[in-house]
Structure formats: structure tokens, C-alpha cells
Amino acid sequence: VLSREDRSAFAKASHTVVARKGDVIAEEGEPFSSVSSVVTGVVKLTKSMSDGRQQIVGLAFPADLVGRPFAERSGYRVEAATDVALCSFPRRQFESQLRSHPDVEHFLLQAKLDEIDSARDWMVLLGRKSAHERVATFLTLLATRASKDATGSSTPPERVSFQLPLSRAEIGDYLGMTLETVSRQLSKLRDEGIIAMPNSSTVHVPNLANLAALTGD
Amino acid sequence: VLSREDRSAFAKASHTVVARKGDVIAEEGEPFSSVSSVVTGVVKLTKSMSDGRQQIVGLAFPADLVGRPFAERSGYRVEAATDVALCSFPRRQFESQLRSHPDVEHFLLQAKLDEIDSARDWMVLLGRKSAHERVATFLTLLATRASKDATGSSTPPERVSFQLPLSRAEIGDYLGMTLETVSRQLSKLRDEGIIAMPNSSTVHVPNLANLAALTGD
DNA sequence: CGAGTGCTTGAGGGAAGTCAAGATTGGTGG
DNA sequence: CCACCAATCTTGACTTCCCTCAAGCACTCG
């Protein structure tokens, strides 16, 4: 959607950064200095309460943007959930480029509007869904993404397989529940025949529609 | 933050709309045609699940924007929570004005970035806070807003009073709990001396810091 | 003044959290 | 290459917080 000139101006300012699983890219409440696009891997955005309770408030997959332009401090911790590669821009430079390339700013606005929509979907999950529905929704999200990545098709196939990019504890922090409840609900979906789990981090979905039917929405 | 020319161009395109409490301004999943700024009153944004469970995914107070530019359909129901006055722009016109006034688009981007931050704060509330903390957080939000409106001061006074713009059921839908639990927690805060409620919709907070200490973050 | 609506309070039940073992697994060094 | 160790995951038993169901109460408005 961007013009050639826009792309090249941005490409000049960027550099590639790699981070290992668990590396913290920006700390909650600390100043941070870059805006990055995820190239490979998954990045998690986490907020903590004073007593240590955590909530993952967003995941960034390849092509997603992380970082908060026009703010001095990060409102959340940014951490590599898997090994990741990032295409990173110095924040100041990114901001000034935005001002001189309105098309790019428009593109960013679109991306952020979509991000608000997903955040609102997640609020419904956190506020109103049962544990079973939450896990089904999370798996549907990953399965849909995996089938898109694999086939490029808009009509996803019935069968999909994918890797869970998060531990049980992290899934709990994303879905607003404990790691034990996550584990129990995964076992339940397995016993119901909705999914198969050859090992604890890979999931087969024989029929995506059956899984999606359990999300509640 | 906007130039005089920007302001006047937008003023020409706008018109004032009033809505009574309960009026639906846009329906979830339906096309909608305007982008509006709230002038007085409170607007609620609601998402529903297929079985009728509801979640309020946002509230818009005076000066906030409602409507989703660059999308054909609303992702949520927009409804007047109180009697409301809106400054409304036809969506198409609003969008084209944005393209020709990059400063305004920048302003909108800033607003949406802030909106993402609030949505993420709310995800922590919905995913991790107890009923007591949720109600304390909600009251702190309203109390802080009321004290800003009243004094314009950045150091809020200890004492504040305000009206609840939502019914118990709506507060429940906003906080991800039932109306009974909302009522019980309000009674508990009253018994603890944190708030007083001369009637069911007005709240006195004798010491805002004591209330804010119960929010958990 | 009565009816209706919204709010409060109580009693009981159920979904998820907590605490506590075991079972797997993946990584490391002998 | 295998064995062990640490970390992660699973499962079970018990507890707790919130939801559900059910009255009773208090406004507001015909």
C-alpha cells in the first residue's frame, strides 16, 4: 500500500535485530527508543500489577508493529515469546518520517484501528467467556493464522496443525486464567476429539469448524 | 492542537445530533455512516455474544470520538448511556477531509494510540482483577474524571462527588461481572467507609487516595 | 397511590483457583 | 549414547469467589 519512495526512505532507517526467547525488548514504564516490525517469531506485550499478577495484553506476529510512537514510555513490557527477528527503527527518526510521509501515517492509523478492534474482541473473551471458550478461541486464532500462512487461501481447510508459541503459564496470562485451568481445558478438548496433541506444544485440528463452534461468538 | 483552517473546514461539515438515553446510534455489524465527537453525556460501546452475553468494550465521554473511520461496518453497538449531544460528521466526508489535512489525521492517530492504551488497561482489569478491585477501579476512573472537570487542576482534591452514568447491569457489563456482584461490592465499599451513596446513582468519595489504593495497580 | 423498574440482600451451587503430587520432556554432562 | 536433572505439564483434592436464583425494598412515574 506504500509508494516506492516511502518504502525506500523507511528501509534506509531500519536495521535488523534478533532476540532470543525470553529477551526483554522494552520494560513496562521505562523509556524505549524504537519502533519495530516483527519479521519472524512472536512477541508478547505484558502488563503487571503491583503484587505480580500479569496479563498479556497483546501478541505481535510477523508483519505486526511493536512499540508506541509518540510516547516517552512503554505502557507494557515487550518480550520475545519465541526467538524473533525484528526490523527496528529509531523512534525519533520513525516519528519524523511519519510527519513527512502522510501516506505512511495513514497506514499506521489503519493498523492501529485494527488493533483496537482486536483488543475489544479480547475484552469480550476476558470479561465474558468460560475457560473452555477461551481456550477454543485462542486455538482458533492460531489455527486460522496457521492455515492462512500455509495456503494463502481465504477458505481455510478443515485440517490444520501448528505449534503453540506460548507456555501454559503464558497462555494463562493471555486468557486471564491459571496454567492449571489451561492444561485441563486442553485435555478436555483432546478427550472430546476436537484436537490432538502429539506433544505438549504441537496441536492438530482435524476439523477447524468444530473448534470454531466452541468459541461462543 | 489543530490549526484554524483545519478547525473551520471540519466545523463546516459537522452537525449536532442529540440522542436520548438508550438510543442506538449504530448497531453491531451494521454499516454506519458517521463519525462523531461526544459533546455532553456518555456513550457506551457494546459487543454481544450469540447467546446474549454482553460486554461493554468502551465508554466515550465528552471530547471523545466514536465511530470507526475506514471500515464499512461497526464492530460494536454504539448506544447513548445517558442523554447525549454529539457533533457528527458524515463518514465519507470525514475520511476525505482526513486525507487532505494530515495534521488532523495525526491528531486522530494520537487519540487512537491513547485508546489502545486504555483498552489494554481494561484487559488487565478483566483478566486479573477481583470484583472488589474492578469496582474500585471503575469508581476511581469516574472520580478522577469528575475532579478534573470540576477543578481543572492536575492535583485532584481528596473529596469528590459524581453521578454514575450507568445502571448496575451496565456496570456489570463493563466490568465483566453480574449486577448482583456490582451491588454487593458497592455496599462493601460503603460499609468500609470508602464511599457514601446518598442515592443509588450518586457517589461521594471522602478520600480519593484511599479508593485508588484498592484498584490493585 | 399503585405499579413497575431497578437495586439490595440472602442462600446455595458451580466454575475456576490453590495447593500438592506425579508424569513428561528436553537439555546437559558423564 | 544414555542417564539424570530441572523445568514444564498433567492430574487430583480441596477451597473460594462469584454466579444463579429468589425475595424483599426503594424509587420513579403514571
Side-chain angles (χ1 to χ4, degrees):
Chain A
V1 206
L2 300 185
S3 70
R4 182 175 296 107
E5 310 89 79
D6 287 340
R7 284 184 178 284
S8 63
F10 273 78
K12 262 180 257 168
S14 74
H15 59 282
T16 298
V17 174
V18 293
R20 305 290 299 276
K21 176 175 176 168
D23 287 356
V24 175
I25 295 155
E27 193 54 81
E28 180 175 357
E30 303 273 309
F32 76 120
S33 54
S34 62
V35 175
S36 309
S37 164
V38 177
V39 177
T40 61
V42 179
V43 170
K44 59 174 179 168
L45 314 179
T46 314
K47 286 180 81 85
S48 293
M49 294 174 60
S50 46
D51 64 358
R53 279 174 285 174
Q54 288 194 324
Q55 176 68 40
I56 294 182
V57 297
L59 291 180
F61 292 94
D64 290 342
L65 244 43
V66 301
R68 164 75 231 243
F70 310 114
E72 287 312 312
R73 297 167 178 284
S74 179
Y76 38 81
R77 171 192 289 233
V78 180
E79 184 179 335
T82 64
D83 292 350
V84 293
L86 299 173
C87 179
S88 185
F89 307 87
R91 187 170 68 84
R92 292 283 176 214
Q93 203 170 340
F94 183 80
E95 290 173 5
S96 63
Q97 297 255 8
L98 279 188
R99 304 312 299 256
S100 50
H101 297 264
D103 281 1
V104 179
E105 184 152 68
H106 181 72
F107 180 78
L108 178 62
L109 174 60
Q110 295 274 21
K112 292 300 171 183
L113 288 169
D114 289 342
E115 205 168 317
I116 292 174
D117 289 342
S118 341
R120 293 199 160 130
D121 288 342
W122 217 249
M123 287 170 62
V124 175
L125 178 144
L126 294 172
R128 292 304 187 192
K129 289 190 181 181
S130 69
H132 199 244
E133 290 168 333
R134 292 181 199 210
V135 172
T137 304
F138 177 61
L139 294 178
T140 301
L141 183 82
L142 293 175
T144 304
R145 172 171 292 275
S147 89
K148 276 211 195 81
D149 287 355
T151 67
S153 127
S154 55
T155 40
E158 296 286 285
R159 298 175 50 79
V160 207
S161 290
F162 55 89
Q163 296 290 115
L164 294 173
L166 304 179
S167 70
R168 300 294 184 267
E170 289 172 318
I171 297 171
D173 285 343
Y174 194 30
L175 301 180
M177 54 208 232
T178 62
L179 69 95
E180 293 94 328
T181 302
V182 173
S183 182
R184 274 186 253 271
Q185 295 303 331
L186 286 171
S187 300
K188 196 166 176 209
L189 287 168
R190 169 172 44 69
D191 296 347
E192 293 168 348
I194 301 292
I195 61 171
M197 302 193 60
N199 67 61
S200 71
S201 73
T202 105
V203 176
H204 288 280
V205 182
N207 186 322
L208 184 46
N210 290 348
L211 176 61
L214 302 176
T215 59
D217 28 47
Chain B
V1 205
L2 300 185
S3 69
R4 181 174 297 107
E5 309 87 80
D6 286 340
R7 284 183 178 286
S8 63
F10 273 78
K12 263 180 257 167
S14 73
H15 59 282
T16 297
V17 174
V18 293
R20 305 291 298 276
K21 177 174 177 169
D23 287 356
V24 175
I25 295 153
E27 193 55 79
E28 180 175 357
E30 303 274 309
F32 75 120
S33 55
S34 63
V35 174
S36 309
S37 165
V38 178
V39 177
T40 61
V42 179
V43 171
K44 59 174 181 170
L45 314 180
T46 313
K47 285 180 81 84
S48 294
M49 294 174 60
S50 46
D51 64 358
R53 279 173 285 175
Q54 287 194 326
Q55 176 68 40
I56 294 181
V57 297
L59 291 181
F61 292 94
D64 290 341
L65 243 44
V66 301
R68 164 75 230 242
F70 310 114
E72 288 312 312
R73 295 167 179 284
S74 180
Y76 39 79
R77 172 193 290 234
V78 179
E79 184 179 335
T82 63
D83 291 352
V84 172
L86 299 171
C87 179
S88 187
F89 307 86
R91 187 170 69 84
R92 291 282 175 216
Q93 203 170 340
F94 183 80
E95 289 172 5
S96 63
Q97 298 255 9
L98 279 187
R99 305 312 298 256
S100 50
H101 298 265
D103 282 1
V104 178
E105 184 153 68
H106 181 71
F107 179 79
L108 178 62
L109 174 60
Q110 296 273 20
K112 291 300 170 182
L113 287 169
D114 290 342
E115 203 168 319
I116 292 174
D117 290 343
S118 341
R120 293 198 160 130
D121 288 343
W122 216 250
M123 286 169 64
V124 175
L125 178 145
L126 294 172
R128 292 305 187 191
K129 290 189 180 180
S130 68
H132 199 243
E133 290 168 333
R134 290 181 199 210
V135 173
T137 304
F138 177 62
L139 294 179
T140 300
L141 182 84
L142 293 175
T144 304
R145 172 172 292 275
S147 89
K148 277 211 194 79
D149 286 355
T151 68
S153 129
S154 56
T155 42
E158 296 286 285
R159 298 176 49 78
V160 207
S161 290
F162 54 89
Q163 296 290 116
L164 294 174
L166 303 179
S167 70
R168 299 295 184 267
E170 289 172 316
I171 297 171
D173 285 342
Y174 194 31
L175 301 180
M177 54 208 235
T178 61
L179 68 96
E180 293 94 329
T181 301
V182 172
S183 181
R184 274 185 254 272
Q185 295 302 331
L186 286 171
S187 300
K188 197 168 175 205
L189 287 167
R190 168 171 45 69
D191 296 347
E192 293 167 348
I194 301 292
I195 61 172
M197 301 193 59
N199 67 62
S200 71
S201 73
T202 106
V203 176
H204 288 280
V205 182
N207 185 323
L208 184 47
N210 289 348
L211 176 61
L214 301 177
T215 58
D217 27 47

